[in-house]
Amino acid sequence: MTKDSSPTQLTHFDQQGQAHMVDVAAKQDTHRTAIACGVIRMKAETLAIITEGTAKKGDVLGIARIAAIMAAKRTSDLIPLCHPLALTRVHVDFSITTETNTIQCQAQVETVGKTGVEMEALTAVQVGLLTIYDMCKAVDRGMVMSDIRVLEKHGGKSGDWVSLIDQQDHN
């Protein structure tokens, strides 16, 4: 990999096209943050079970929050070329929209280090949503997870990035 890599260059491949873990030794430690989100859509009855706290397996969103935090911490065990990171913060929120029978999961992950935390935030969101599915699949196997994406990232050499899609949605 060259030092001056463009954003379109795939950094996880060497000059021979072999997969490798990116060398971050020369990079400076900076405070890095990423925010990701995703949605799970379900039947109104399923959402009612979650919001009323009557799921047979327990507090669905409480358990999904813990699962999301644990997943962020274990991302490098799941994604082969991810660096193991010492996370300084993982914050997970769920918001319920009864009109669309959806729950949105949003994760903010932070570290002080040489590489970003986008993968950790995305992993937290996906595992949080998977946990909701797992806990409620007995009553609703048709739940759909979608729109998993990075909303923003801050820190590092490339600086700040905010999703233009979400900026357009809010204007």
Side-chain angles (χ1 to χ4, degrees):
M1 179 180 123
T2 63
K3 281 199 178 255
D4 186 20
S5 61
S6 69
T8 57
Q9 184 178 2
L10 298 176
T11 58
H12 285 88
F13 296 96
D14 65 18
Q15 291 177 343
Q16 291 75 40
Q18 301 294 315
H20 73 106
M21 189 176 211
V22 175
D23 182 0
V24 296
K27 294 173 89 177
Q28 295 296 311
D29 283 350
T30 62
H31 181 245
R32 296 164 182 269
T33 303
I35 301 172
C37 72
V39 171
I40 187 166
R41 189 176 67 247
M42 61 196 67
K43 292 189 242 177
E45 300 81 16
T46 309
L47 188 59
I49 289 168
I50 294 169
T51 59
E52 293 165 8
T54 58
K56 290 185 179 182
K57 291 186 176 182
D59 175 9
V60 174
L61 298 183
I63 294 168
R65 179 175 288 105
I66 296 298
I69 292 167
M70 289 174 63
K73 292 167 46 174
R74 301 293 302 260
T75 299
S76 66
D77 292 337
L78 301 170
I79 310 296
L81 301 177
C82 246
H83 291 85
L85 301 178
L87 302 181
T88 58
R89 180 172 189 251
V90 179
H91 180 77
V92 178
D93 274 325
F94 293 97
S95 51
I96 297 168
T97 306
T98 54
E99 296 80 21
T100 56
N101 300 317
T102 58
I103 299 174
Q104 180 185 51
C105 178
Q106 182 169 305
Q108 179 172 335
V109 179
E110 299 182 31
T111 192
V112 175
K114 298 176 182 296
T115 188
V117 287
E118 297 95 272
M119 295 306 299
E120 288 74 10
L122 287 165
T123 301
V125 166
Q126 188 65 69
V127 171
L129 297 175
L130 285 168
T131 301
I132 293 169
Y133 184 94
D134 179 55
M135 293 188 71
C136 298
K137 69 181 181 276
V139 295
D140 187 357
R141 293 196 185 273
M143 290 176 278
V144 175
M145 291 164 273
S146 64
D147 299 319
I148 291 108
R149 65 201 182 278
V150 174
L151 296 174
E152 57 188 85
K153 74 88 154 169
H154 303 280
K157 183 179 176 183
S158 64
D160 297 342
W161 178 87
V162 177
S163 170
L164 293 176
I165 293 170
D166 292 293
Q167 283 180 345
Q168 291 168 352
D169 290 346
H170 291 99
N171 291 333

